[in-house]
């Protein structure tokens, strides 16, 4: 049985004092959940967040990393650096990075490999644009992105990845994929993994849905057969909302 994962993506939001207050506020409210709780925070919040989350069930992740270990890459942060301070997760290939920061399938693949080498679990984002959706290209686009992101990984490495299916037209727009469409896309990603590797690993891989997940729609999405939880942007900035999403399967 795959465990449900609720991952917040704060994007470029939250100052350290806000991050600390947020984590302190949600800690007692999420401590009994069976779900994995991850917060992917800006680099400048990592250290404070790791300290405050110590001893809790809240795990801290970054939102990006460079694929080289070190060197003359002004302004960049490597997987080795993240791992050295205790980070365990890192979002790779978010559509905002693909769109605004020239992230390509090739850099995504290099980053995934470097993350795994440093014992970080990459949360690999794939998703189609509105135009691709309207041209019935969704499955082709997301299975291809998946294949390229995983290129060259061995079976053992595949045990430590998370994939997030995030239709770009649903991110921050208030538009959510229907639960059936989201589930179907995720099934196709799983089939692609089965094609490249095998059924066993395809069944074990955690695949999240992201794109305007809120407390109000979390349950119906996460109860679908293949949706293993969510990558949550806007709603992860509001503690009450995030608590409700984490506890969507309580009672
Ligand atoms: P959203 O963002 O929940 O605000 O749509 C999701 C994401 O970008 O990961």
């Amino acid at each position: 049985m795959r465990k449900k994962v609720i991952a917040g993506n704060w994007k470029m939001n939250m100052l350290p004092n806000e991050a600390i207050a947020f984590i302190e506020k949600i800690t007692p409210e999420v401590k009994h959940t069976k779900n994995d709780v991850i917060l992917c925070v800006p680099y400048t919040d990592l250290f404070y967040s790791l300290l405050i989350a110590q001893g809790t069930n809240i795990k801290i992740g970054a939102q990006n990393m460079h694929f080289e270990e070190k060197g003359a890459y002004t302004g960049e942060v490597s997987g080795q650096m993240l791992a050295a301070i205790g980070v365990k997760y890192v979002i790779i290939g978010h559509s905002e990075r693909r769109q605004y920061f020239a992230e390509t399938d090739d850099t995504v693949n290099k980053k995934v490999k470097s993350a795994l080498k440093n014992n970080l679990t990459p949360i690999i984002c794939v998703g189609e644009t509105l135009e691709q959706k309207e041209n019935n290209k969704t499955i082709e686009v997301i299975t291809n992105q998946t294949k390229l992101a995983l290129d060259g990984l061995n079976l053992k490495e595949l045990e430590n990845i998370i994939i997030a299916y995030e239709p770009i037209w649903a991110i921050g727009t208030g538009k959510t994929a229907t639960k059936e469409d989201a589930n179907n896309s995720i099934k196709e990603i799983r089939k692609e993994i089965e094609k490249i590797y095998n059924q066993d690993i395809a069944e074990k891989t955690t695949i999240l849905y992201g794109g305007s997940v809120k407390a109000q729609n979390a349950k119906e999405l996460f109860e679908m057969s293949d949706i293993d939880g969510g990558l949550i942007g806007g709603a992860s900035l509001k503690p009450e909302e995030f608590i409700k999403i984490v506890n969507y399967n309580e009672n």
Side-chain angles (χ1 to χ4, degrees):
M1 257 293 272
R2 297 183 299 266
K3 210 169 166 189
K4 298 288 180 182
V5 175
I6 313 298
N9 172 13
W10 281 355
K11 309 193 179 184
M12 197 171 72
N13 295 290
M14 302 284 238
L15 298 174
N17 61 327
E18 295 170 318
I20 292 167
F22 184 102
I23 295 168
E24 281 176 342
K25 181 150 191 185
I26 71 163
T27 295
E29 309 295 333
V30 303
K31 69 176 182 197
H32 296 301
T33 184
K34 308 183 280 295
N35 309 324
D36 277 345
V37 185
I38 306 169
L39 286 173
C40 295
V41 309
Y43 290 136
T44 44
D45 290 340
L46 281 172
F47 198 67
Y48 301 96
S49 303
L50 285 160
L51 278 180
I52 299 296
Q54 229 169 43
T56 77
N57 58 334
I58 301 165
K59 295 164 185 146
I60 303 299
Q63 301 171 9
N64 180 37
M65 56 172 268
H66 196 276
F67 49 81
E68 296 291 352
E69 301 276 276
K70 56 178 158 182
Y73 300 99
T74 303
E76 291 294 319
V77 172
S78 72
Q80 191 182 46
M81 290 168 168
L82 295 175
I85 63 165
V87 173
K88 297 279 184 247
Y89 296 84
V90 57
I91 298 175
I92 305 276
H94 189 279
S95 60
E96 286 153 16
R97 296 218 56 89
R98 294 181 192 250
Q99 207 178 334
Y100 308 135
F101 302 99
E103 191 87 86
T104 64
D105 288 320
D106 182 51
T107 58
V108 168
N109 177 248
K110 286 187 175 137
K111 289 180 181 192
V112 168
K113 285 179 176 156
S114 175
L116 288 165
K117 191 170 157 209
N118 287 291
N119 294 318
L120 298 167
T121 298
I123 303 175
I124 306 163
C125 301
V126 299
E128 81 285 3
T129 63
L130 183 59
E131 198 190 338
Q132 289 163 337
K133 175 184 158 65
E134 284 171 350
N135 288 312
N136 291 320
K137 296 261 189 258
T138 299
I139 305 305
E140 184 187 323
V141 169
I142 62 176
T143 53
N144 197 43
Q145 285 175 338
T146 303
K147 185 170 87 190
L148 295 172
L150 305 183
D151 188 43
L153 299 194
N154 62 37
L155 208 50
K156 188 97 202 85
E157 289 174 313
L158 221 70
E159 284 174 13
N160 293 317
I161 65 157
I162 293 176
I163 294 177
Y165 166 58
E166 298 208 303
I168 296 170
W169 50 269
I171 295 176
T173 57
K175 288 188 202 135
T176 316
T178 64
K179 57 183 200 267
E180 291 84 9
D181 281 353
N183 199 52
N184 187 49
S185 294
I186 290 177
K187 272 193 177 154
E188 294 293 333
I189 294 170
R190 227 179 267 294
K191 269 196 220 156
E192 184 65 25
I193 297 173
E194 180 174 343
K195 212 161 88 189
I196 311 171
Y197 297 91
N198 61 47
Q199 191 186 2
D200 180 57
I201 194 73
E203 287 300 323
K204 280 188 191 148
T205 305
T206 298
I207 310 182
L208 313 178
Y209 167 78
S212 298
V213 175
K214 316 181 247 305
Q216 188 207 330
N217 58 19
K219 191 174 166 75
E220 60 170 51
L221 285 161
F222 302 167
E223 277 179 353
M224 297 301 283
S225 64
D226 280 70
I227 304 181
D228 302 325
L231 182 58
I232 296 125
S236 75
L237 296 170
K238 302 173 203 143
E240 289 81 9
E241 186 82 4
F242 190 67
I243 290 164
K244 281 191 199 149
I245 298 174
V246 170
N247 293 326
Y248 82 94
N249 50 355
E250 292 295 301
N251 314 314

